[in-house]
Amino acid sequence: RYPTVERRAKILNGLSYVPVPEDGPFLKALLFLLRSLDDDKDFVERRDSCSYINKSSVYGLLVGGEELWPVIAFLRNDMIYASVPLAEQALSPRPSLISISGISQGLELLFGIQNFLYSSQKNDTDLNTKLSQLPDLFLQACPLGTLMDANLQNSSNSINFSSVTQPQKQPAWRVGTYKGKPQISISIREKVKCMQYGKQDIADTWQVVGTVACKCDLEGIMPNVTISLNLPTNGSPLQDIIVHP
């Protein structure tokens, strides 16, 4: 789950936005659609009729009276792999699958997970160990919800899992823990636009815009860093401040 992706989906879809449900309702709806619920063997027209023939692994999940689409899901080695990719376009009328890049990226990530879990896997203990490593690997392979590398083994080689004694919450923008000399780098850029007319009856105009970027290399999971901006007493007040999430 990536709050950044959820926010983008909400902005893109507007009133037609359907939020991703909690794990329980999502799993129940997915198992129902894949005919994997033990207590549900009755015929359901929406799912079992001849007119509903799914030739792909992309489904629409009916949760709370709303349909969540697209949802990628398939069964391999007695395990269900599923992802909800972001469709960066209008969903009504429903676009063709090939036009949604998020679907191919979602499939690529799921195949990468499958290859990682079952490469050199010997027993259930190895499988459970790899499953516990997935959240940290996603921070490397899929930072902020954007797929960078579907080969999770590459990310695994760059992370020292033996040093992690207990599960810790990692911020989404930080792909790994830092070890070394603590450093804080602050970059300030200012851009001045002005128009000088050289006439007393026309006032000169000017505008100052800029950015402040902060890069922190500090040990620990979530150290607190505060930056204060102080202006001269006779300076113009700051306006239209935008802070990156």
Side-chain angles (χ1 to χ4, degrees):
R1 293 176 178 271
Y2 291 93
T4 50
V5 180
E6 281 285 321
R7 178 176 172 81
R8 287 165 59 193
K10 193 171 185 178
I11 294 174
L12 288 168
N13 296 322
L15 296 176
S16 61
Y17 165 72
V18 178
V20 178
E22 295 298 322
D23 292 352
F26 179 86
L27 180 60
K28 185 176 181 180
L30 182 61
L31 293 177
F32 168 79
L33 202 61
L34 297 177
R35 303 177 182 85
S36 298
L37 287 177
D38 294 333
D39 57 348
D40 185 17
K41 302 300 181 182
D42 296 333
F43 175 83
V44 179
E45 184 174 358
R46 179 183 176 273
R47 181 193 65 184
D48 303 320
S49 68
C50 295
S51 59
Y52 184 78
I53 300 176
N54 194 333
K55 297 181 180 179
S56 67
S57 298
V58 181
Y59 302 89
L61 244 60
L62 198 61
V63 181
E66 296 181 303
E67 186 181 47
L68 178 65
W69 188 90
V71 175
I72 304 172
F74 57 85
L75 181 65
R76 291 288 188 279
N77 300 321
D78 297 327
M79 186 177 294
I80 294 176
Y81 297 84
S83 68
V84 184
L86 175 66
E88 299 187 88
Q89 60 202 85
L91 299 181
S92 180
R94 185 162 293 181
S96 62
L97 298 182
I98 198 172
S99 66
I100 304 177
S101 60
I103 290 180
S104 58
Q105 293 179 12
L107 281 169
E108 186 181 5
L109 178 61
L110 293 180
F111 289 139
I113 296 173
Q114 179 188 353
N115 293 334
F116 171 73
L117 292 179
Y118 288 95
S119 63
S120 68
Q121 181 237 343
K122 299 177 182 178
N123 49 47
D124 289 344
T125 303
D126 294 340
L127 179 61
N128 291 331
T129 300
K130 289 189 173 184
L131 284 172
S132 66
Q133 295 173 356
L134 285 180
D136 291 318
L137 293 178
F138 285 159
L139 290 174
Q140 287 270 61
C142 203
L144 298 179
T146 301
L147 182 62
M148 305 298 292
D149 186 3
N151 189 345
L152 298 187
Q153 193 59 48
N154 294 339
S155 302
S156 176
N157 294 335
S158 63
I159 298 178
N160 182 15
F161 285 107
S162 60
S163 63
V164 180
T165 57
Q166 59 183 6
Q168 295 172 300
K169 185 176 180 181
Q170 186 103 342
W173 48 265
R174 192 168 189 176
V175 297
T177 55
Y178 176 78
K179 297 291 183 182
K181 181 181 178 182
Q183 301 179 79
I184 297 180
S185 303
I186 298 177
S187 171
I188 301 176
R189 284 188 179 182
E190 278 192 342
K191 188 174 183 180
V192 181
K193 298 180 181 180
C194 65
M195 179 66 72
Q196 294 176 312
Y197 294 96
K199 297 181 180 180
Q200 292 184 353
D201 55 335
I202 302 178
D204 298 338
T205 60
W206 57 276
Q207 182 186 40
V208 180
V209 296
T211 59
V212 178
C214 177
K215 181 176 183 293
C216 300
D217 293 323
L218 302 173
E219 292 188 2
I221 295 297
M222 296 188 71
N224 292 322
V225 177
T226 303
I227 296 179
S228 301
L229 300 177
N230 298 318
L231 296 174
T233 54
N234 60 344
S236 301
L238 288 176
Q239 297 177 345
D240 302 327
I241 299 177
I242 300 176
V243 180
H244 191 280

